[in-house]
Amino acid sequence: AGDKMSHKVKTFGEIENAYTVYETLSNCTHNGFPILNRRKKLVGLILRRQLFVIFEEGLFCDTPDVSEKTGMEEGADHRVRTESYIYYSMASKSQGGTLKTNALNLTDDQIDSLKRKWVNMHPYMNPYPISCNQLTPLTRVYNLYRALGLRHLPVVDEDNLVVGIITRKELMTVEFTQDLY
């Protein structure tokens, strides 16, 4: 897996500055973002469309010193998980598939205020993402993708530190010389 993974991984912390998230979304087209704890170990995965719903709903914290549930209004978890799919499907039809930050229609003052806000990823991220070791054979990675319908597969080293990510794009360039089953 290590030789075919993308090394250009964009990651977020468990609690991330909202402006940093906004800038990252503005400057890349990635759709899946590994979430790392303070020791830089993989603890989750969040999707671009989920982050967009967080911004649309204004689900921010005023301080980075929050517990897992702090700053989350009643029902927000369910809305981000379900509305993100609805929002994504509508936006992808009108924007060619990748959600762009200009779709949020934020004013300059609103963007500036993001510097003082925080996003708590805990309530919204997948806390148990499927990942693979960088030494995992590509045939096993391919079989994982097919069997589980994956879109993003973080690649970690022996210490569970994210070293890359594999998407369908990386797998499409692989020519397998042996039977995959």
Side-chain angles (χ1 to χ4, degrees):
D3 56 342
K4 284 295 180 181
M5 69 185 177
S6 170
H7 295 277
K8 298 175 185 175
V9 184
K10 303 288 186 186
T11 63
F12 293 122
E14 295 170 287
I15 310 292
E16 191 70 59
N17 179 268
Y19 184 78
T20 302
V21 175
Y22 179 83
E23 282 294 302
T24 301
L25 292 173
S26 297
N27 295 319
C28 79
T29 58
H30 294 57
N31 284 308
F33 302 90
I35 305 296
L36 310 180
N37 66 15
R38 291 182 181 167
R39 295 184 314 269
K40 304 295 182 196
K41 296 189 182 225
L42 179 66
V43 294
L45 184 81
I46 194 161
L47 301 177
R48 183 181 197 89
R49 61 183 176 244
Q50 291 172 306
L51 291 169
F52 266 73
V53 173
I54 290 169
F55 276 86
E56 281 284 316
E57 297 287 325
L59 301 173
F60 306 118
C61 303
D62 293 325
T63 173
D65 301 321
V66 295
S67 69
E68 288 186 17
K69 297 290 182 185
T70 303
M72 189 172 112
E73 64 181 79
E74 191 69 33
D77 178 31
H78 177 72
R79 272 201 323 276
V80 170
R81 292 180 190 271
T82 57
E83 289 182 18
S84 65
Y85 295 99
I86 296 166
Y87 181 78
Y88 178 73
S89 66
M90 292 186 326
S92 65
K93 290 176 186 168
S94 63
Q95 297 180 12
T98 300
L99 292 168
K100 301 200 175 14
T101 51
N102 61 3
L104 293 171
N105 297 318
L106 297 178
T107 66
D108 289 341
D109 288 341
Q110 289 172 317
I111 293 170
D112 189 54
S113 73
L114 294 176
K115 295 176 182 174
R116 298 177 299 283
K117 300 289 184 183
W118 299 88
V119 177
N120 181 358
M121 304 291 182
H122 278 278
Y124 316 115
M125 70 181 187
N126 171 1
Y128 307 105
I130 305 291
S131 63
C132 72
N133 185 280
Q134 61 189 350
L135 302 176
T136 303
L138 279 175
T139 52
R140 180 167 290 167
V141 169
Y142 179 81
N143 286 333
L144 272 172
Y145 260 81
R146 298 242 334 162
L148 301 176
L150 299 178
R151 294 178 58 102
H152 311 93
L153 185 67
V155 181
V156 297
D157 65 11
E158 59 278 351
D159 295 320
N160 205 34
L161 301 174
V162 175
V163 294
I165 194 163
I166 296 177
T167 65
R168 290 178 292 180
K169 178 180 166 185
E170 283 80 29
L171 286 181
M172 290 175 67
T173 64
V174 177
E175 291 187 32
F176 294 99
T177 57
Q178 62 189 46
D179 186 12
L180 295 173
Y181 300 100

